[in-house]
């Protein structure tokens, strides 16, 4: 877990009862009627946690749904490869650029169409790396999640609001 983010702020985090482990944790809160929404909206949440299952008032233990996070990261990485450039940059190395515009276009298309993910080449299931060939030339692409200022890795790669993805397309010889 990144050190500059609280676990409860991470995508896929959920509380469990510190007594019995149930995920049915509740908190006291106030709601007020909203004329704009025509429904009750949350006004305030209070400090105390309780368990709907065992009835104990206690401090919850926070868990991370790793499978949910992995699938979300993979979807965000796939969206980038398919052209969704929100909070993202595409970098092409000098070696790929030197191959010419037609080659570059083929490389971009190959990255977008890539679906060769397996346990061997995608062990974490995040769809963040691929290898392919164009005209007998081996290429790699990779996606790295950075913070919005591009100064360090993202505190939460599953959260697009705190992540700037960088897709790099390179010749295998440049790796």
């Amino acid at each position: 877990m990144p050190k500059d983010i609280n676990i409860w702020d991470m995508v896929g985090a959920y509380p469990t009862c510190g007594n019995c482990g149930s995920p049915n944790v509740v908190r006291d809160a106030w709601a007020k009627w909203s004329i704009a929404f025509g429904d009750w909206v949350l006004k305030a949440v209070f400090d105390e946690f309780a368990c709907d299952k065992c009835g104990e008032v206690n401090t919850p233990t926070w868990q991370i749904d790793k499978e949910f996070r992995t699938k979300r990261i993979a979807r965000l990485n796939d969206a980038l490869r398919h052209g969704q450039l929100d909070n993202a940059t595409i970098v092409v190395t000098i070696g790929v650029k030197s191959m010419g515009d037609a080659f570059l276009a083929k490389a971009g298309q190959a990255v977008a169409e890539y679906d060769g993910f397996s346990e061997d080449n995608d062990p974490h299931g995040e769809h963040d790396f691929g290898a392919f060939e164009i005209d007998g030339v081996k290429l790699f692409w990779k996606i790295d999640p950075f913070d919005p200022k591009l100064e360090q890795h993202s505190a939460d790669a599953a959260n697009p609001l705190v992540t700037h993805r960088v897709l790099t397309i390179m010749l295998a010889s440049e790796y």
Side-chain angles (χ1 to χ4, degrees):
M1 177 177 63
K3 57 186 173 245
D4 56 345
I5 190 169
N6 294 315
I7 190 171
W8 51 82
D9 290 328
M10 294 183 71
V11 170
Y14 62 96
T16 59
C17 175
N19 185 52
C20 73
S22 168
N24 297 328
V25 175
V26 296
R27 292 181 82 175
D28 288 329
W30 283 348
K32 68 178 182 177
W33 184 257
S34 168
I35 294 173
F37 292 112
D39 203 353
W40 294 97
V41 295
L42 198 58
K43 179 180 179 184
V45 177
F46 303 109
D47 292 336
E48 202 166 85
F49 293 85
C51 178
D52 252 0
K53 182 177 179 188
C54 72
E56 290 293 316
V57 173
N58 62 63
T59 302
T61 302
W62 287 88
Q63 308 292 326
I64 293 285
D65 186 331
K66 292 179 182 175
E67 183 179 350
F68 174 83
R69 286 180 56 77
T70 298
K71 287 180 180 178
R72 183 175 172 112
I73 291 168
R75 281 194 308 272
L76 291 166
N77 287 342
D78 288 344
L80 170 56
R81 290 186 312 102
H82 296 125
Q84 183 177 339
L85 298 176
D86 298 335
N87 298 322
T89 302
I90 297 176
V91 175
V92 178
T93 62
I94 193 71
V96 175
K97 180 75 174 141
S98 71
M99 301 294 282
D101 290 343
F103 186 88
L104 180 58
K106 287 180 188 178
Q109 189 65 34
V111 170
E113 293 174 354
Y114 187 87
D115 67 354
F117 301 107
S118 69
E119 188 68 34
D120 291 333
N121 67 12
D122 191 27
H124 302 290
E126 295 181 350
H127 294 190
D128 59 356
F129 177 84
F132 59 99
E133 281 192 22
I134 296 175
D135 301 332
V137 178
K138 184 145 184 152
L139 292 99
F140 294 150
W141 63 264
K142 66 189 220 43
I143 298 175
D144 294 299
F146 289 97
D147 72 334
K149 293 182 179 179
L150 299 172
E151 294 174 345
Q152 59 188 0
H153 280 290
S154 173
D156 185 0
N159 184 345
L161 299 177
V162 299
T163 304
H164 185 101
R165 286 178 159 65
V166 176
L167 166 62
T168 304
I169 304 171
M170 69 193 89
L171 299 177
S173 61
E174 294 175 302
Y175 188 69

